[in-house]
Amino acid sequence: MSNFQSNVITDESKLDIPTYIDQPHYVKNKAMYYSLQMFGWTLWTFLLLPLATAVLWIYQGKLIKSYIFTEQVYVQLYNFVWLAFLITICCASLLLWASYNWLRYRKAKDPKVSNVTQSTLAEDFSISTDELSKMQKSKNIVLHYDDEGVLYDYELKKA
């Protein structure tokens, strides 16, 4: 093993956690909080976002109108050709990218996962099949792992 030293703090008393985290009694008037949040999202979704979109569409329309249609005919044609060229380049780049991905991944198959038996799964977790059955039937499970990532304990909680 390497001499890697981790600086992870495991003692909760040394952590700088605000006192209101995970303390539901600090949250007062939840109904008002959720109502205000819902009002804000509704205002954003149905008023401000469409309004900003409409303003930007109008601005872009005026910009395109002044850029293409108010110039002389040969300038209009020149601008139109450049816009068509840029659109063609963008479309071609996307088609090339899609073709590359298709060529690269066309033979790739989805990996098939075979069914795992309870005994194999229990063996991987280093527990008995009876314990595995209890874990599968439980609503909440808290798994405890050691520093090497090996399961050493678990708690079954009823929800």
Side-chain angles (χ1 to χ4, degrees):
M1 292 244 172
S2 65
N3 292 337
F4 176 72
Q5 185 66 23
S6 174
N7 293 332
V8 176
I9 299 172
T10 56
D11 184 12
E12 288 186 19
S13 64
K14 295 180 182 178
L15 295 174
D16 185 25
I17 299 176
T19 56
Y20 54 84
I21 300 290
D22 293 331
Q23 299 293 329
H25 61 273
Y26 283 116
V27 180
K28 298 195 176 18
N29 202 355
K30 282 186 182 182
M32 184 62 175
Y33 167 74
Y34 288 126
S35 299
L36 186 61
Q37 183 180 16
M38 185 58 89
F39 175 74
W41 278 112
T42 303
L43 185 75
W44 169 258
T45 304
F46 292 113
L47 180 65
L48 296 178
L49 203 57
L51 188 63
T53 303
V55 167
L56 290 174
W57 270 99
I58 291 168
Y59 171 73
Q60 282 293 82
K62 288 182 179 180
L63 184 69
I64 289 172
K65 183 180 176 186
S66 69
Y67 186 68
I68 292 179
F69 299 113
T70 58
E71 297 289 334
Q72 298 168 352
V73 175
Y74 69 91
V75 176
Q76 288 179 12
L77 187 59
Y78 179 77
N79 289 339
F80 184 74
V81 168
W82 267 109
L83 286 173
F85 176 71
L86 290 174
I87 291 170
T88 304
I89 292 295
C90 290
C91 290
S93 66
L94 288 174
L95 286 173
L96 282 172
W97 179 38
S99 300
Y100 164 76
N101 283 329
W102 180 78
L103 288 171
R104 182 174 178 190
Y105 298 113
R106 70 175 182 240
K107 293 181 183 175
K109 303 268 189 224
D110 288 333
K112 299 293 180 195
V113 178
S114 60
N115 290 335
V116 178
T117 63
Q118 278 205 333
S119 60
T120 305
L121 190 58
E123 186 179 312
D124 287 346
F125 278 108
S126 301
I127 58 175
S128 70
T129 54
D130 292 336
E131 289 175 311
L132 179 65
S133 295
K134 289 179 192 175
M135 289 172 82
Q136 288 175 330
K137 292 175 185 171
S138 178
K139 295 282 183 189
N140 289 327
I141 306 169
V142 178
L143 302 174
H144 300 278
Y145 292 94
D146 62 11
D147 291 336
E148 283 77 38
V150 177
L151 179 69
Y152 69 87
D153 194 19
Y154 63 91
E155 298 172 36
L156 302 178
K157 296 184 178 185
K158 300 290 183 199

